[in-house]
């Protein structure tokens, strides 16, 4: 997938745990892990906005595009579980 998720980078910069971020955003740690590990196929704008609010960042700080060629060169690309959508409960 050419979209790379950099939530780990922002978590480290903010010295925040995955569990704390999940609690503050209002999603389960499991759904946050799906997004953080790049296995989500989609993310709701409301979830992205909540992540940005809690982490005081812009969407571009969490998501970036890389060409398919760069991905092939690194050998990334696990398609297992790629059909998951991440969002706040009840949405």
């Amino acid at each position: 997938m050419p979209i790379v998720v950099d939530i780990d980078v922002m978590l480290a910069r903010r010295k925040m745990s995955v569990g704390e971020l999940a609690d503050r955003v209002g999603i389960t740690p499991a759904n946050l892990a799906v997004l953080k590990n790049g296995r989500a196929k989609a993310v709701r704008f409301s979830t992205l906005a909540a992540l940005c609010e809690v982490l005081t960042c812009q969407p571009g700080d969490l998501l970036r595009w890389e060409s398919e060629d760069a991905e092939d060169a690194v050998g990334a690309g696990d398609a297992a579980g790629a059909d998951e959508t991440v969002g706040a409960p009840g949405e």
Side-chain angles (χ1 to χ4, degrees):
M1 170 79 56
I3 301 298
V4 178
V5 182
D6 287 327
I7 290 177
D8 282 337
V9 173
M10 292 307 296
L11 283 171
R13 287 182 182 167
R14 303 297 186 252
K15 296 180 173 75
M16 188 181 298
S17 71
V18 173
E20 181 183 353
L21 179 60
D23 285 344
R24 292 177 63 184
V25 169
I27 62 176
T28 66
N31 278 342
L32 182 56
V34 166
L35 178 59
K36 184 175 77 71
N37 296 323
R39 296 190 318 260
K41 187 171 184 178
V43 61
R44 289 184 174 91
F45 280 167
S46 59
T47 303
L48 183 58
L51 287 166
C52 289
E53 183 176 348
V54 170
L55 294 169
T56 58
C57 67
Q58 294 295 313
D61 296 326
L62 302 176
L63 303 172
R64 63 186 161 88
W65 177 83
E66 281 188 1
S67 70
E68 292 281 343
D69 296 337
E71 181 179 303
D72 292 339
V74 219
D78 179 15
D83 291 334
E84 302 183 49
T85 300
V86 177
E91 286 189 16

